[in-house]
Amino acid sequence: MNAPRDFSADPLGHGLPDYAPRPMPVAMLEALQARLGNRCSTALALREQHGRDESPFDVPPPEAVVFAENNEEVAAVLTLANEHRVPVIPYGAGTSLEGHLLAVQGGVSLDVSRMNRILRVNAEDLTVTVQAGVTRNQLNAEVRHQGLFFPIDPGADASIGGMSATRASGTNAVRYGTMKENVLGLTVATPDGRLIRTGSRARKSSAGYDLTRLYVGSEGTLGVICEVTLRLYPLPEAVSAAICSFETIDAAVRTTIAIIQMGVPIARCELLDAHAVRAVNRHDKLTLREAPMLLMEFHGSDAGVAEQAAVVQEIAADHGGTGFEWATTPEDRTRLWTARHHAYLSALQMKPGCRAVTTDTCVPISRLAESINASVEEVEASGLPYFIVGHVGDGNFHMGYLIDPAVPDERSTAEQLSARMVARAIALEGTCTGEHGIGLHKQRFLLQEAGEGAVDQMRALKAALDPRNIMNPGKIFG
Amino acid sequence: MNAPRDFSADPLGHGLPDYAPRPMPVAMLEALQARLGNRCSTALALREQHGRDESPFDVPPPEAVVFAENNEEVAAVLTLANEHRVPVIPYGAGTSLEGHLLAVQGGVSLDVSRMNRILRVNAEDLTVTVQAGVTRNQLNAEVRHQGLFFPIDPGADASIGGMSATRASGTNAVRYGTMKENVLGLTVATPDGRLIRTGSRARKSSAGYDLTRLYVGSEGTLGVICEVTLRLYPLPEAVSAAICSFETIDAAVRTTIAIIQMGVPIARCELLDAHAVRAVNRHDKLTLREAPMLLMEFHGSDAGVAEQAAVVQEIAADHGGTGFEWATTPEDRTRLWTARHHAYLSALQMKPGCRAVTTDTCVPISRLAESINASVEEVEASGLPYFIVGHVGDGNFHMGYLIDPAVPDERSTAEQLSARMVARAIALEGTCTGEHGIGLHKQRFLLQEAGEGAVDQMRALKAALDPRNIMNPGKIFG
């Protein structure tokens, strides 16, 4: 299981780069062990656990796993790795969907999950500073009793460091933005082992280059995010969630487009297709109507929420929406949103033993119907099982193709469908990834989208900040 | 007037760097003239006009001014400049406050003000693409009839390219964000004369490094912004503006803090001190009470605006706010906001022949009262005339010290006051500039704020993208 496979060919055309390990010298392993003791491990099970993520790829695991417990340890690991030119792959909660955590060039997995302290809540400024290993659920549990919340919620209970590194978003982004808008500052360990601070606790700044935004979304390729200062929000006075079913996906999407174009400040606007609804019904024991559905949430004052809801209900009715149901109690809402966050895992359980090839495009809102409809037509013609969930208020949706990993044809079909969907998104002036990142999976799509000139600029930045290419090498660009 | 002054000393300690011109070879001037004809000029008046901005510095003008009319011409100028290692200073509307436009290393001023076409309004997606020379007022005049607006409004009618380059904000940022949040993508000419595209028209993306955010705020030091794709917003159904006077600045600031902490989605929340009110009264022939004042605006539905206003009125009353007056007609509102936008020029007219040394700090909202109060105490003790205007909802405020440029002591006093105010902002976990940028004026403050490690990273990025240092050299870092 652990023998290197031949990754030099790329028969599926999904851009998986060569597997080209850079061996770790014994001296480095010894130095790591001297510094970290048993928090540096070469146990196979641990390495295998750290050598995969939610992507459908299999690559041999890293040579060692180290657990850092503070910024200085992170910096020390990088100093050693830089000296020995050994790759370092930052690891948080292991929930990447695009192969970010795979050790395609060998090296060390640097696990920051034990750096999980909430360092400082400044409720009066609506800011919080956390260590990178804190997860989003942990953070929300901590700040809720102060009447605050952090809105960014990728499906998994990801770490804040990982969410920063992939520029994550989730269901609330339509109202509250993504990690890009909500990270105020970072503490980063640079590849040469320095600790730097970017940003401040001020809400805005024009002080020099925006290093914060450069590290946000850099997928571990420029340095290790150690601490993150985030914006928080007051818990809204009133919250109301609603579901509404539609005859077709198209009708649900057109409802969304109208909501956004009218400027309704909707907090969440999620699409689930009939397959996704069926999956969450089974997994979460719900009885939702198994038809395309919008799952929406409104935040504001009592009157404001009522007003938004009335406007949206009217728009939905105009598009044939039926069965508008309200979930106003926190328990009902939690049940619905928990189900939504389980959609990915629920769908996997619809086909035992399967894996999902997921795509994640985002297009200008007016092109969303065209983008989804064509993708549905193509996947229906292919015969592959699939599901769709989407942060449609952003123009962002995910298609999950369920494949049997033992059947190469299925993966190949899924990759081809995904490639067509991505090419369409780019042609519609959108992006090849709204929130999952490039990782291993979308490198050629990045080139299609950004063009050679822009990717050359990115490579120049990488070379400038990580001249020995130790930070998560092989990701974003091969 | 045009003879080089000796800038090698820095007696005022404000970080003005050496004046060190890099002469332009005749071959380059000839090549520029061959390509651009009379759109390449060496006329002294034109050079002097392009060699200054709203900063209080005097530096000899650039050697030539060129007017580009399209992206390809921008790229051609950069190709030539790169070949000859001659500085290029992008020029939009000339409204920088921090010396961004000054030719401290000689070279060419590249004026893009004729690149002023609105290329494409996508009303259905709430996006627009403009050439860099389009000004914010021009843009709003163009999109208003489609029921849309662009909220970012620095005081001056700046160019969108310049606003992007300085990461500008203005009165609406508390609700709508700054240029950082509102630029979706850019077309940039790189120093080696390539044209690249960053971002897309999608609302969010995780596709590679955030080049857009790197160029936004780069102050012309990494490339020339040629085109900008922006987010637009539907004109709110209801808008209402209000003014409220307070006995003290402190009371006005504490009102603001409470509004923000309660999560009121206020669209604008501006402070004017009594000096600023007096200045705009004279300049705009208004009769506002000459006391510290909040000028606020609420956007939303009729009911939503009424609700926000009621909450705010109550908070203001709790802090002794009086004379709450409403401006609900568009004419009344325009008169108020025009006066606000004139505040800087109005204040200059209070002391004939004066110049203003302005500061622009931004702190976490809970530290705003402390920050302003201490700065007021210091300037009162100095005896210098001054005024305060602030985007206080963001924690951002400006102090303008009015100095007689012929009296070195006054400038020195102003710079010392400014330095203390900035040091205090940094100590309060804020930033040395909320929206004006670093330019020439705040280089040592950037170092204080970000630390050597982070500034080293910025320098590395600069060296990677502009290895011959032709793009606005001497700015941000010396």
Side-chain angles (χ1 to χ4, degrees), chain B residues 119-132:
Chain B
L119 298 171
R120 196 152 64 108
V121 181
N122 290 90
E124 72 286 9
D125 292 319
L126 306 172
T127 70
V128 63
T129 299
V130 302
Q131 288 187 304

mmCIF file with all atom_site columns, all heavy atoms in Angstrom, chain B residues 119-132:
data_model
loop_
_atom_site.group_PDB
_atom_site.id
_atom_site.type_symbol
_atom_site.label_atom_id
_atom_site.label_alt_id
_atom_site.label_comp_id
_atom_site.label_asym_id
_atom_site.label_entity_id
_atom_site.label_seq_id
_atom_site.pdbx_PDB_ins_code
_atom_site.Cartn_x
_atom_site.Cartn_y
_atom_site.Cartn_z
_atom_site.occupancy
_atom_site.B_iso_or_equiv
_atom_site.pdbx_formal_charge
_atom_site.auth_seq_id
_atom_site.auth_comp_id
_atom_site.auth_asym_id
_atom_site.auth_atom_id
_atom_site.pdbx_PDB_model_num
ATOM 1   N N   . LEU B 1 119 ? -16.085 50.579 -19.603 1.00 0.00 ? 119 LEU B N   1
ATOM 2   C CA  . LEU B 1 119 ? -16.017 49.574 -20.660 1.00 0.00 ? 119 LEU B CA  1
ATOM 3   C C   . LEU B 1 119 ? -17.253 48.700 -20.704 1.00 0.00 ? 119 LEU B C   1
ATOM 4   O O   . LEU B 1 119 ? -17.731 48.335 -21.762 1.00 0.00 ? 119 LEU B O   1
ATOM 5   C CB  . LEU B 1 119 ? -14.763 48.706 -20.461 1.00 0.00 ? 119 LEU B CB  1
ATOM 6   C CG  . LEU B 1 119 ? -13.437 49.480 -20.549 1.00 0.00 ? 119 LEU B CG  1
ATOM 7   C CD1 . LEU B 1 119 ? -12.281 48.590 -20.131 1.00 0.00 ? 119 LEU B CD1 1
ATOM 8   C CD2 . LEU B 1 119 ? -13.216 50.022 -21.967 1.00 0.00 ? 119 LEU B CD2 1
ATOM 9   N N   . ARG B 1 120 ? -17.775 48.341 -19.509 1.00 0.00 ? 120 ARG B N   1
ATOM 10  C CA  . ARG B 1 120 ? -18.901 47.414 -19.543 1.00 0.00 ? 120 ARG B CA  1
ATOM 11  C C   . ARG B 1 120 ? -19.625 47.443 -18.200 1.00 0.00 ? 120 ARG B C   1
ATOM 12  O O   . ARG B 1 120 ? -19.029 47.167 -17.176 1.00 0.00 ? 120 ARG B O   1
ATOM 13  C CB  . ARG B 1 120 ? -18.395 45.986 -19.812 1.00 0.00 ? 120 ARG B CB  1
ATOM 14  C CG  . ARG B 1 120 ? -19.469 45.029 -20.231 1.00 0.00 ? 120 ARG B CG  1
ATOM 15  C CD  . ARG B 1 120 ? -18.901 43.935 -21.109 1.00 0.00 ? 120 ARG B CD  1
ATOM 16  N NE  . ARG B 1 120 ? -17.950 43.127 -20.372 1.00 0.00 ? 120 ARG B NE  1
ATOM 17  C CZ  . ARG B 1 120 ? -18.184 41.879 -19.968 1.00 0.00 ? 120 ARG B CZ  1
ATOM 18  N NH1 . ARG B 1 120 ? -19.348 41.297 -20.227 1.00 0.00 ? 120 ARG B NH1 1
ATOM 19  N NH2 . ARG B 1 120 ? -17.270 41.191 -19.326 1.00 0.00 ? 120 ARG B NH2 1
ATOM 20  N N   . VAL B 1 121 ? -20.888 47.780 -18.250 1.00 0.00 ? 121 VAL B N   1
ATOM 21  C CA  . VAL B 1 121 ? -21.730 47.674 -17.060 1.00 0.00 ? 121 VAL B CA  1
ATOM 22  C C   . VAL B 1 121 ? -22.507 46.367 -17.168 1.00 0.00 ? 121 VAL B C   1
ATOM 23  O O   . VAL B 1 121 ? -23.193 46.142 -18.169 1.00 0.00 ? 121 VAL B O   1
ATOM 24  C CB  . VAL B 1 121 ? -22.723 48.858 -16.954 1.00 0.00 ? 121 VAL B CB  1
ATOM 25  C CG1 . VAL B 1 121 ? -23.561 48.729 -15.684 1.00 0.00 ? 121 VAL B CG1 1
ATOM 26  C CG2 . VAL B 1 121 ? -21.991 50.186 -16.988 1.00 0.00 ? 121 VAL B CG2 1
ATOM 27  N N   . ASN B 1 122 ? -22.374 45.501 -16.173 1.00 0.00 ? 122 ASN B N   1
ATOM 28  C CA  . ASN B 1 122 ? -23.182 44.287 -16.126 1.00 0.00 ? 122 ASN B CA  1
ATOM 29  C C   . ASN B 1 122 ? -24.164 44.449 -14.970 1.00 0.00 ? 122 ASN B C   1
ATOM 30  O O   . ASN B 1 122 ? -23.940 43.944 -13.872 1.00 0.00 ? 122 ASN B O   1
ATOM 31  C CB  . ASN B 1 122 ? -22.308 43.051 -15.921 1.00 0.00 ? 122 ASN B CB  1
ATOM 32  C CG  . ASN B 1 122 ? -21.475 42.739 -17.150 1.00 0.00 ? 122 ASN B CG  1
ATOM 33  O OD1 . ASN B 1 122 ? -20.366 43.212 -17.278 1.00 0.00 ? 122 ASN B OD1 1
ATOM 34  N ND2 . ASN B 1 122 ? -22.032 41.972 -18.070 1.00 0.00 ? 122 ASN B ND2 1
ATOM 35  N N   . ALA B 1 123 ? -25.225 45.175 -15.261 1.00 0.00 ? 123 ALA B N   1
ATOM 36  C CA  . ALA B 1 123 ? -26.181 45.502 -14.196 1.00 0.00 ? 123 ALA B CA  1
ATOM 37  C C   . ALA B 1 123 ? -26.729 44.237 -13.555 1.00 0.00 ? 123 ALA B C   1
ATOM 38  O O   . ALA B 1 123 ? -26.939 44.182 -12.339 1.00 0.00 ? 123 ALA B O   1
ATOM 39  C CB  . ALA B 1 123 ? -27.312 46.357 -14.765 1.00 0.00 ? 123 ALA B CB  1
ATOM 40  N N   . GLU B 1 124 ? -26.956 43.200 -14.352 1.00 0.00 ? 124 GLU B N   1
ATOM 41  C CA  . GLU B 1 124 ? -27.561 41.977 -13.835 1.00 0.00 ? 124 GLU B CA  1
ATOM 42  C C   . GLU B 1 124 ? -26.627 41.231 -12.880 1.00 0.00 ? 124 GLU B C   1
ATOM 43  O O   . GLU B 1 124 ? -27.070 40.400 -12.103 1.00 0.00 ? 124 GLU B O   1
ATOM 44  C CB  . GLU B 1 124 ? -28.033 41.083 -14.987 1.00 0.00 ? 124 GLU B CB  1
ATOM 45  C CG  . GLU B 1 124 ? -26.934 40.404 -15.790 1.00 0.00 ? 124 GLU B CG  1
ATOM 46  C CD  . GLU B 1 124 ? -26.154 41.314 -16.736 1.00 0.00 ? 124 GLU B CD  1
ATOM 47  O OE1 . GLU B 1 124 ? -26.319 42.550 -16.690 1.00 0.00 ? 124 GLU B OE1 1
ATOM 48  O OE2 . GLU B 1 124 ? -25.340 40.770 -17.507 1.00 0.00 ? 124 GLU B OE2 1
ATOM 49  N N   . ASP B 1 125 ? -25.347 41.551 -12.943 1.00 0.00 ? 125 ASP B N   1
ATOM 50  C CA  . ASP B 1 125 ? -24.382 40.933 -12.017 1.00 0.00 ? 125 ASP B CA  1
ATOM 51  C C   . ASP B 1 125 ? -23.847 41.925 -10.993 1.00 0.00 ? 125 ASP B C   1
ATOM 52  O O   . ASP B 1 125 ? -22.995 41.563 -10.172 1.00 0.00 ? 125 ASP B O   1
ATOM 53  C CB  . ASP B 1 125 ? -23.180 40.372 -12.796 1.00 0.00 ? 125 ASP B CB  1
ATOM 54  C CG  . ASP B 1 125 ? -23.568 39.199 -13.651 1.00 0.00 ? 125 ASP B CG  1
ATOM 55  O OD1 . ASP B 1 125 ? -24.362 38.362 -13.177 1.00 0.00 ? 125 ASP B OD1 1
ATOM 56  O OD2 . ASP B 1 125 ? -23.105 39.132 -14.795 1.00 0.00 ? 125 ASP B OD2 1
ATOM 57  N N   . LEU B 1 126 ? -24.295 43.162 -11.081 1.00 0.00 ? 126 LEU B N   1
ATOM 58  C CA  . LEU B 1 126 ? -23.789 44.198 -10.181 1.00 0.00 ? 126 LEU B CA  1
ATOM 59  C C   . LEU B 1 126 ? -22.270 44.336 -10.308 1.00 0.00 ? 126 LEU B C   1
ATOM 60  O O   . LEU B 1 126 ? -21.544 44.404 -9.317  1.00 0.00 ? 126 LEU B O   1
ATOM 61  C CB  . LEU B 1 126 ? -24.199 43.890 -8.726  1.00 0.00 ? 126 LEU B CB  1
ATOM 62  C CG  . LEU B 1 126 ? -25.697 43.664 -8.492  1.00 0.00 ? 126 LEU B CG  1
ATOM 63  C CD1 . LEU B 1 126 ? -25.957 43.164 -7.070  1.00 0.00 ? 126 LEU B CD1 1
ATOM 64  C CD2 . LEU B 1 126 ? -26.491 44.936 -8.753  1.00 0.00 ? 126 LEU B CD2 1
ATOM 65  N N   . THR B 1 127 ? -21.797 44.360 -11.544 1.00 0.00 ? 127 THR B N   1
ATOM 66  C CA  . THR B 1 127 ? -20.372 44.600 -11.785 1.00 0.00 ? 127 THR B CA  1
ATOM 67  C C   . THR B 1 127 ? -20.201 45.621 -12.908 1.00 0.00 ? 127 THR B C   1
ATOM 68  O O   . THR B 1 127 ? -21.103 45.824 -13.724 1.00 0.00 ? 127 THR B O   1
ATOM 69  C CB  . THR B 1 127 ? -19.604 43.312 -12.188 1.00 0.00 ? 127 THR B CB  1
ATOM 70  O OG1 . THR B 1 127 ? -20.015 42.913 -13.501 1.00 0.00 ? 127 THR B OG1 1
ATOM 71  C CG2 . THR B 1 127 ? -19.839 42.176 -11.213 1.00 0.00 ? 127 THR B CG2 1
ATOM 72  N N   . VAL B 1 128 ? -19.044 46.243 -12.899 1.00 0.00 ? 128 VAL B N   1
ATOM 73  C CA  . VAL B 1 128 ? -18.700 47.180 -13.974 1.00 0.00 ? 128 VAL B CA  1
ATOM 74  C C   . VAL B 1 128 ? -17.199 47.071 -14.202 1.00 0.00 ? 128 VAL B C   1
ATOM 75  O O   . VAL B 1 128 ? -16.443 46.815 -13.264 1.00 0.00 ? 128 VAL B O   1
ATOM 76  C CB  . VAL B 1 128 ? -19.083 48.631 -13.598 1.00 0.00 ? 128 VAL B CB  1
ATOM 77  C CG1 . VAL B 1 128 ? -18.308 49.118 -12.372 1.00 0.00 ? 128 VAL B CG1 1
ATOM 78  C CG2 . VAL B 1 128 ? -18.869 49.592 -14.763 1.00 0.00 ? 128 VAL B CG2 1
ATOM 79  N N   . THR B 1 129 ? -16.786 47.233 -15.458 1.00 0.00 ? 129 THR B N   1
ATOM 80  C CA  . THR B 1 129 ? -15.364 47.288 -15.769 1.00 0.00 ? 129 THR B CA  1
ATOM 81  C C   . THR B 1 129 ? -15.061 48.650 -16.373 1.00 0.00 ? 129 THR B C   1
ATOM 82  O O   . THR B 1 129 ? -15.746 49.082 -17.305 1.00 0.00 ? 129 THR B O   1
ATOM 83  C CB  . THR B 1 129 ? -14.964 46.160 -16.733 1.00 0.00 ? 129 THR B CB  1
ATOM 84  O OG1 . THR B 1 129 ? -15.247 44.904 -16.097 1.00 0.00 ? 129 THR B OG1 1
ATOM 85  C CG2 . THR B 1 129 ? -13.466 46.212 -17.054 1.00 0.00 ? 129 THR B CG2 1
ATOM 86  N N   . VAL B 1 130 ? -14.063 49.313 -15.785 1.00 0.00 ? 130 VAL B N   1
ATOM 87  C CA  . VAL B 1 130 ? -13.721 50.664 -16.229 1.00 0.00 ? 130 VAL B CA  1
ATOM 88  C C   . VAL B 1 130 ? -12.229 50.757 -16.519 1.00 0.00 ? 130 VAL B C   1
ATOM 89  O O   . VAL B 1 130 ? -11.431 49.984 -15.999 1.00 0.00 ? 130 VAL B O   1
ATOM 90  C CB  . VAL B 1 130 ? -14.069 51.724 -15.151 1.00 0.00 ? 130 VAL B CB  1
ATOM 91  C CG1 . VAL B 1 130 ? -15.540 51.676 -14.794 1.00 0.00 ? 130 VAL B CG1 1
ATOM 92  C CG2 . VAL B 1 130 ? -13.204 51.557 -13.902 1.00 0.00 ? 130 VAL B CG2 1
ATOM 93  N N   . GLN B 1 131 ? -11.874 51.737 -17.318 1.00 0.00 ? 131 GLN B N   1
ATOM 94  C CA  . GLN B 1 131 ? -10.459 52.071 -17.456 1.00 0.00 ? 131 GLN B CA  1
ATOM 95  C C   . GLN B 1 131 ? -10.009 52.829 -16.211 1.00 0.00 ? 131 GLN B C   1
ATOM 96  O O   . GLN B 1 131 ? -10.819 53.479 -15.528 1.00 0.00 ? 131 GLN B O   1
ATOM 97  C CB  . GLN B 1 131 ? -10.250 52.907 -18.714 1.00 0.00 ? 131 GLN B CB  1
ATOM 98  C CG  . GLN B 1 131 ? -10.408 52.094 -20.002 1.00 0.00 ? 131 GLN B CG  1
ATOM 99  C CD  . GLN B 1 131 ? -10.038 52.915 -21.227 1.00 0.00 ? 131 GLN B CD  1
ATOM 100 O OE1 . GLN B 1 131 ? -10.596 53.978 -21.451 1.00 0.00 ? 131 GLN B OE1 1
ATOM 101 N NE2 . GLN B 1 131 ? -9.095  52.412 -22.024 1.00 0.00 ? 131 GLN B NE2 1
ATOM 102 N N   . ALA B 1 132 ? -8.716  52.778 -15.975 1.00 0.00 ? 132 ALA B N   1
ATOM 103 C CA  . ALA B 1 132 ? -8.185  53.282 -14.701 1.00 0.00 ? 132 ALA B CA  1
ATOM 104 C C   . ALA B 1 132 ? -8.422  54.770 -14.489 1.00 0.00 ? 132 ALA B C   1
ATOM 105 O O   . ALA B 1 132 ? -8.515  55.237 -13.356 1.00 0.00 ? 132 ALA B O   1
ATOM 106 C CB  . ALA B 1 132 ? -6.684  52.986 -14.618 1.00 0.00 ? 132 ALA B CB  1
#
